Amino acid sequence: MQKMAELLGLKDECREGTSGAPALTGSCLADNRLNLDVYPDGCHRFLQLFKKQQGEVVQVEFLRLSSNDCLLDTALGSLPHLKHLKSLVLKGGHARDEFGSYQHGSLTSLPPDFGNLRCLTHLDLSFNRLSTFPSCILHLPSLRVLLVSHNSLVTLPKDFGCLSKLTFFSAMKNQLKDLPQSIGELSMLQDLDLSENALELVPDEVGNLHNCTELDLSGNRLLSIPDSLANLKSLRRLHLHSNLLVTVPASLASLPNLSRLDLQNNCLRAIPAEIQTLPFVHVRGNPLGEAEPSLQAEKSSTRRLKRLFLAPGEDSFTVTPEGCRVVLACGIHFYFPPGAASDPLRIYFRSLVPDPQWVKLKHHDVLLSGVLELQPHGVQFQQEVQIWMPYVSPQTPHQHEVVVRTFSGQSWSDLKTRVKQKRKSKKCVARCCVLHFSWFLVVSRLVQNECKVPAEGTLLFSSVDPNIKVIFPPGVTKEPRSVKLQVLPVSVEEIQEITASAGCRASPLLYLSQDSTVDFLKPVRIQLPLPPGVTGLNLDRSRLHILHGDLEGQTWNDITSEVVLEFTHLYAVFEVTHFSWYWLWYTTKTYIGGIAKKVYERLRLYQVNFIVLQRKKDPEQVLLQCVPKHKVDPVLKKLQDRYRGPEPSDLVEMFEGEQFFAAFERGISIDMDRPDCVDGRLSFIFYSHLKNMKEIYVTSPVDRKDQAVKGQVSFYRGAVPDSIPEDASRRRKGPDSLWLATLPVKLPQLKPRWDENSYPLRGFSFPPLNLGNAETGYLTQANLLSIARRVGADWQSIGLNLGLTYQQIERIGYNNREDLNKQILDMLFSWAQQNSEDPDCVSKLITAMKESGRQDIADEVEAIIELGRQKYSESIRRVGLGQESSTEDSTIAM
């Protein structure tokens, strides 16, 4: 393994160094590459190296720095001294904000002498804040790969075509409005990605890109494309979806190598027959066959609006003044009426995991959905936009109502909401109308009745319990004010179970609020029903108590002696001048305030069980879930065919939005680098109607060849939500009070075997390996080892693009945790062994590298293959047609 570490130039002293540590050793500079973007202080490390080992640093050929680093500007000043630099990555996106969004880097420009890097062939400036294209880039004569995606570029320089050696260019997710004519001079360009910009026109000169194999113009504002695209004879994939196309040239059908033409979500009412019959054309989301609507029809009907169906992975779409309907893959729908947007507008969306740090729930609220973020924030629409959000049906529909809640950046507010259940799927959706975009989620709250109280007075009653009324007499206020009423019914059984007293009874809880801080000018009369089983005929006044609670339900005061109580056969009536919680109790207990506080706290708690299950076919895959007690049996029944495990834990109580942790113990561990792992424990947030489930891979440092590992997973309480009562919070302090439950986990003894899960890399004794075929050249073991030196912290995305499953990637990470070298090698050789019989595996490797943003590695592999072709041709000339003899000659060692 030491030899492998030397090959990759990533020895332990590099990984474990800190900003205050001694200078990094020369091993970091092995093979003339520095991958420092994985360190929070990468620029500091670079500057230290440049200061103390300048002679070696200036020989570096491959450098990666994070543009989220606060010392980036200082580090930029040293880059022009690296005359041998071939690949430079200055990407942002290495940090997240409080909502989990990737933060763009701080890079806004490059130093003027940056153009002195004459050897630079690969430059990645993605996820930054570039608003103008740095002119110094045009002076890089060797540049072949350029990425400026996720910036704010509005235009490209007129002489952009002087980058004559460019083979790959990506400017996706910028604000480009046009393209220079000189773009057609990029005769060597093979991949051009201009998706998700604001392009309205493509110049005819694009048709001069005769070597272009992939062209992505999706997500723009194109009404048409030039006929010159038919000149792109090398083109294989053409992406035009999510534009405003009303026509496409029939000549596209004549492109000899085209294997994908994506025309989805445009305005095409007709497509040339030559194109429509092609098997690789995608046209969903177009109004095909529909007649052009008349002006009157457009005004009277919305059925002809453009419909967009977005696939998984897409995160944006364009809205035009004509309006549209949009359906996301997750089931969220949008309706943009005609005129909602005055100009074409690009909408971005994403789903966020709810975090109690900023998703603030009120008392008795229940979260029914994840968080939807829509951008751009604050843009004012000319007409209301409708949003339909799927949600989980609440358990108490009579007491609660479903609303969409939106976050302004400062506070949450509830929107007027309509709900319905879909006929076929039986799924519930909530609809709201908005004039601007921000964050949205669906909650269930106590049913809220409200009214405007004028000076003349009015009457407000509860729709949950019509016997609860609030009477406002004339003269109660000078200025009209808004009043809200909410009711929480409490059953006799709940009261008696919590108080352990058969004689305790209580009316429904009443909560009143208003939009004014001034008390009413006259007393307001409140009518509450007497507690169950109590009437005016058998009433013992000494046992009846009116309780007043503060806004948080922390303190309950007996105000019976402070108000005038009137009774009828069924009701109690009293007067107040300010609003909060009110509760009518009937009991022989003396300290009724403390009892009411305990009951109120318990009404907000959920009884839950913890479930720990292991997949039958793969015991290292463990499912953890926190389930309300009434859902435990259905959940276990659903999982029993694929999982096995111990009985659920004993019942514990948790608040909505409460944090808890799962810790693996006694010889079992998890990947500590997971973003949801805090101090070695897996973090959860409990929401009663959401899944509260995670499935992870575990490992053990214990040698399982001779014995099984009998470990356990324990659950502990975490941060207490802000709204939890002080007493409940106080009881949860100290190590013992944080523990919730412990369940066993057993990893079985390993059986000797040699298959895809046996990991021959553990000893790093590589079997002979030849990927590809003799005619195109092979990739050997030595080639893969050389490629591994180029791969860094992005090995997981490369593995996924190579076709490895997420479970395989996670397992590789866990089995080789804390060793990046092993992770990279394990990933590459696992893929190689699975695809050793696939003659196209090398081309798939090249494609995966490009999709992962590693054009530099893709170029290296292509160079290897080209050399293989040459050696194969030489061997053919040397020995005639004896193909058997050419195999060994066509292998390449780097």
Short mmCIF file of all heavy atoms in Angstrom, two decimals, residues 308-339:
data_model
loop_
_atom_site.label_atom_id
_atom_site.label_comp_id
_atom_site.label_asym_id
_atom_site.label_seq_id
_atom_site.Cartn_x
_atom_site.Cartn_y
_atom_site.Cartn_z
N LEU A 308 -44.92 21.18 -19.83
CA LEU A 308 -43.55 20.71 -19.68
C LEU A 308 -43.52 19.57 -18.67
O LEU A 308 -44.08 19.69 -17.57
CB LEU A 308 -42.65 21.84 -19.17
CG LEU A 308 -42.59 23.13 -19.99
CD1 LEU A 308 -41.65 24.12 -19.34
CD2 LEU A 308 -42.14 22.83 -21.41
N PHE A 309 -42.91 18.46 -19.06
CA PHE A 309 -42.74 17.31 -18.17
C PHE A 309 -41.24 17.14 -17.93
O PHE A 309 -40.51 16.76 -18.84
CB PHE A 309 -43.33 16.04 -18.79
CG PHE A 309 -44.81 16.12 -19.02
CD1 PHE A 309 -45.32 16.62 -20.22
CD2 PHE A 309 -45.70 15.72 -18.05
CE1 PHE A 309 -46.68 16.69 -20.45
CE2 PHE A 309 -47.07 15.80 -18.26
CZ PHE A 309 -47.56 16.29 -19.47
N LEU A 310 -40.81 17.45 -16.72
CA LEU A 310 -39.38 17.42 -16.43
C LEU A 310 -38.96 16.05 -15.90
O LEU A 310 -39.66 15.45 -15.06
CB LEU A 310 -39.01 18.50 -15.42
CG LEU A 310 -38.67 19.87 -16.04
CD1 LEU A 310 -39.91 20.46 -16.72
CD2 LEU A 310 -38.13 20.83 -15.02
N ALA A 311 -37.84 15.57 -16.40
CA ALA A 311 -37.33 14.26 -16.02
C ALA A 311 -36.52 14.38 -14.73
O ALA A 311 -36.08 15.46 -14.34
CB ALA A 311 -36.45 13.70 -17.14
N PRO A 312 -36.32 13.25 -14.02
CA PRO A 312 -35.44 13.28 -12.84
C PRO A 312 -34.06 13.80 -13.20
O PRO A 312 -33.50 13.46 -14.23
CB PRO A 312 -35.40 11.81 -12.40
CG PRO A 312 -36.65 11.21 -12.96
CD PRO A 312 -36.90 11.91 -14.26
N GLY A 313 -33.53 14.65 -12.36
CA GLY A 313 -32.21 15.22 -12.63
C GLY A 313 -32.29 16.63 -13.19
O GLY A 313 -31.35 17.41 -13.03
N GLU A 314 -33.38 16.97 -13.87
CA GLU A 314 -33.54 18.34 -14.36
C GLU A 314 -33.89 19.26 -13.19
O GLU A 314 -34.65 18.88 -12.29
CB GLU A 314 -34.62 18.41 -15.43
CG GLU A 314 -34.27 17.65 -16.71
CD GLU A 314 -35.30 17.89 -17.80
OE1 GLU A 314 -35.27 18.96 -18.40
OE2 GLU A 314 -36.13 16.99 -18.03
N ASP A 315 -33.36 20.47 -13.21
CA ASP A 315 -33.59 21.38 -12.10
C ASP A 315 -34.01 22.78 -12.53
O ASP A 315 -33.95 23.72 -11.73
CB ASP A 315 -32.34 21.48 -11.22
CG ASP A 315 -31.14 22.07 -11.98
OD1 ASP A 315 -31.26 22.31 -13.19
OD2 ASP A 315 -30.09 22.30 -11.34
N SER A 316 -34.46 22.93 -13.77
CA SER A 316 -34.88 24.26 -14.21
C SER A 316 -35.77 24.14 -15.45
O SER A 316 -35.81 23.11 -16.11
CB SER A 316 -33.66 25.14 -14.53
OG SER A 316 -32.92 24.60 -15.60
N PHE A 317 -36.48 25.24 -15.74
CA PHE A 317 -37.31 25.33 -16.93
C PHE A 317 -37.54 26.81 -17.23
O PHE A 317 -37.27 27.68 -16.39
CB PHE A 317 -38.65 24.60 -16.76
CG PHE A 317 -39.45 25.05 -15.56
CD1 PHE A 317 -40.37 26.08 -15.67
CD2 PHE A 317 -39.29 24.44 -14.33
CE1 PHE A 317 -41.11 26.51 -14.58
CE2 PHE A 317 -40.02 24.84 -13.23
CZ PHE A 317 -40.93 25.88 -13.36
N THR A 318 -38.00 27.10 -18.44
CA THR A 318 -38.21 28.48 -18.87
C THR A 318 -39.70 28.78 -18.97
O THR A 318 -40.47 27.99 -19.54
CB THR A 318 -37.54 28.73 -20.23
OG1 THR A 318 -36.12 28.52 -20.09
CG2 THR A 318 -37.76 30.17 -20.69
N VAL A 319 -40.10 29.91 -18.42
CA VAL A 319 -41.48 30.39 -18.50
C VAL A 319 -41.51 31.60 -19.43
O VAL A 319 -40.68 32.51 -19.30
CB VAL A 319 -42.02 30.78 -17.11
CG1 VAL A 319 -43.42 31.35 -17.22
CG2 VAL A 319 -42.01 29.58 -16.19
N THR A 320 -42.44 31.61 -20.35
CA THR A 320 -42.58 32.71 -21.31
C THR A 320 -43.86 33.48 -21.02
O THR A 320 -44.71 33.04 -20.24
CB THR A 320 -42.62 32.17 -22.74
OG1 THR A 320 -43.81 31.37 -22.89
CG2 THR A 320 -41.41 31.30 -23.03
N PRO A 321 -44.04 34.65 -21.64
CA PRO A 321 -45.28 35.40 -21.44
C PRO A 321 -46.53 34.62 -21.85
O PRO A 321 -47.63 34.95 -21.42
CB PRO A 321 -45.08 36.65 -22.31
CG PRO A 321 -43.60 36.83 -22.37
CD PRO A 321 -43.04 35.45 -22.39
N GLU A 322 -46.38 33.60 -22.72
CA GLU A 322 -47.54 32.80 -23.15
C GLU A 322 -48.03 31.89 -22.03
O GLU A 322 -49.13 31.34 -22.12
CB GLU A 322 -47.19 31.96 -24.37
CG GLU A 322 -47.00 32.78 -25.66
CD GLU A 322 -45.70 33.55 -25.67
OE1 GLU A 322 -44.75 33.11 -24.97
OE2 GLU A 322 -45.64 34.59 -26.35
N GLY A 323 -47.22 31.67 -20.99
CA GLY A 323 -47.62 30.80 -19.89
C GLY A 323 -47.36 29.34 -20.19
O GLY A 323 -47.03 28.95 -21.31
N CYS A 324 -47.51 28.50 -19.19
CA CYS A 324 -47.30 27.06 -19.36
C CYS A 324 -47.74 26.31 -18.11
O CYS A 324 -47.99 26.91 -17.06
CB CYS A 324 -45.83 26.75 -19.67
SG CYS A 324 -44.70 27.22 -18.33
N ARG A 325 -47.85 25.00 -18.27
CA ARG A 325 -48.03 24.09 -17.15
C ARG A 325 -46.76 23.25 -17.03
O ARG A 325 -46.23 22.81 -18.03
CB ARG A 325 -49.25 23.18 -17.34
CG ARG A 325 -50.58 23.93 -17.38
CD ARG A 325 -51.74 22.96 -17.57
NE ARG A 325 -53.00 23.65 -17.66
CZ ARG A 325 -53.77 23.97 -16.63
NH1 ARG A 325 -53.38 23.64 -15.40
NH2 ARG A 325 -54.91 24.60 -16.79
N VAL A 326 -46.32 23.02 -15.82
CA VAL A 326 -45.07 22.29 -15.59
C VAL A 326 -45.32 21.17 -14.59
O VAL A 326 -45.99 21.38 -13.57
CB VAL A 326 -43.96 23.23 -15.06
CG1 VAL A 326 -42.65 22.46 -14.89
CG2 VAL A 326 -43.77 24.41 -15.99
N VAL A 327 -44.81 19.98 -14.92
CA VAL A 327 -44.92 18.82 -14.02
C VAL A 327 -43.51 18.34 -13.70
O VAL A 327 -42.76 17.97 -14.61
CB VAL A 327 -45.73 17.68 -14.66
CG1 VAL A 327 -45.85 16.51 -13.68
CG2 VAL A 327 -47.11 18.17 -15.08
N LEU A 328 -43.15 18.36 -12.42
CA LEU A 328 -41.85 17.87 -12.00
C LEU A 328 -41.91 16.37 -11.77
O LEU A 328 -42.98 15.80 -11.52
CB LEU A 328 -41.39 18.57 -10.72
CG LEU A 328 -41.35 20.10 -10.72
CD1 LEU A 328 -40.69 20.61 -9.43
CD2 LEU A 328 -40.62 20.63 -11.93
N ALA A 329 -40.74 15.73 -11.81
CA ALA A 329 -40.68 14.27 -11.63
C ALA A 329 -41.16 13.86 -10.24
O ALA A 329 -41.67 12.75 -10.05
CB ALA A 329 -39.26 13.78 -11.86
N CYS A 330 -41.04 14.75 -9.25
CA CYS A 330 -41.44 14.43 -7.88
C CYS A 330 -42.94 14.61 -7.65
O CYS A 330 -43.43 14.37 -6.54
CB CYS A 330 -40.67 15.30 -6.90
SG CYS A 330 -40.93 17.07 -7.12
N GLY A 331 -43.70 15.04 -8.67
CA GLY A 331 -45.14 15.17 -8.55
C GLY A 331 -45.63 16.58 -8.31
O GLY A 331 -46.84 16.82 -8.25
N ILE A 332 -44.74 17.54 -8.17
CA ILE A 332 -45.14 18.94 -7.98
C ILE A 332 -45.56 19.53 -9.32
O ILE A 332 -44.91 19.30 -10.35
CB ILE A 332 -43.99 19.76 -7.37
CG1 ILE A 332 -43.68 19.25 -5.96
CG2 ILE A 332 -44.33 21.24 -7.32
CD1 ILE A 332 -42.46 19.89 -5.33
N HIS A 333 -46.68 20.27 -9.34
CA HIS A 333 -47.20 20.89 -10.55
C HIS A 333 -47.16 22.41 -10.42
O HIS A 333 -47.31 22.95 -9.31
CB HIS A 333 -48.66 20.46 -10.80
CG HIS A 333 -48.81 19.02 -11.16
ND1 HIS A 333 -49.65 18.59 -12.15
CD2 HIS A 333 -48.24 17.90 -10.66
CE1 HIS A 333 -49.59 17.28 -12.25
NE2 HIS A 333 -48.75 16.84 -11.34
N PHE A 334 -47.00 23.09 -11.55
CA PHE A 334 -47.09 24.55 -11.60
C PHE A 334 -48.02 24.96 -12.74
O PHE A 334 -48.10 24.29 -13.77
CB PHE A 334 -45.72 25.19 -11.86
CG PHE A 334 -44.67 24.86 -10.84
CD1 PHE A 334 -43.78 23.83 -11.08
CD2 PHE A 334 -44.57 25.57 -9.66
CE1 PHE A 334 -42.79 23.51 -10.16
CE2 PHE A 334 -43.59 25.25 -8.73
CZ PHE A 334 -42.70 24.22 -8.98
N TYR A 335 -48.71 26.07 -12.52
CA TYR A 335 -49.52 26.67 -13.58
C TYR A 335 -49.15 28.15 -13.67
O TYR A 335 -49.37 28.93 -12.73
CB TYR A 335 -51.01 26.52 -13.30
CG TYR A 335 -51.88 27.37 -14.20
CD1 TYR A 335 -51.85 27.22 -15.59
CD2 TYR A 335 -52.70 28.36 -13.66
CE1 TYR A 335 -52.63 28.02 -16.41
CE2 TYR A 335 -53.49 29.16 -14.47
CZ TYR A 335 -53.44 28.99 -15.85
OH TYR A 335 -54.21 29.78 -16.66
N PHE A 336 -48.54 28.52 -14.79
CA PHE A 336 -48.18 29.91 -15.07
C PHE A 336 -49.19 30.44 -16.09
O PHE A 336 -49.12 30.07 -17.27
CB PHE A 336 -46.77 30.01 -15.63
CG PHE A 336 -45.69 29.60 -14.66
CD1 PHE A 336 -45.32 28.27 -14.54
CD2 PHE A 336 -45.06 30.54 -13.87
CE1 PHE A 336 -44.33 27.87 -13.66
CE2 PHE A 336 -44.06 30.15 -12.97
CZ PHE A 336 -43.70 28.82 -12.88
N PRO A 337 -50.13 31.28 -15.70
CA PRO A 337 -51.13 31.78 -16.65
C PRO A 337 -50.47 32.71 -17.66
O PRO A 337 -49.40 33.27 -17.41
CB PRO A 337 -52.12 32.52 -15.75
CG PRO A 337 -51.32 32.94 -14.56
CD PRO A 337 -50.33 31.83 -14.34
N PRO A 338 -51.09 32.89 -18.83
CA PRO A 338 -50.55 33.84 -19.80
C PRO A 338 -50.39 35.22 -19.17
O PRO A 338 -51.29 35.71 -18.49
CB PRO A 338 -51.61 33.84 -20.90
CG PRO A 338 -52.27 32.49 -20.80
CD PRO A 338 -52.29 32.18 -19.33
N GLY A 339 -49.23 35.82 -19.39
CA GLY A 339 -48.97 37.14 -18.83
C GLY A 339 -48.36 37.13 -17.45
O GLY A 339 -48.04 38.19 -16.91
#
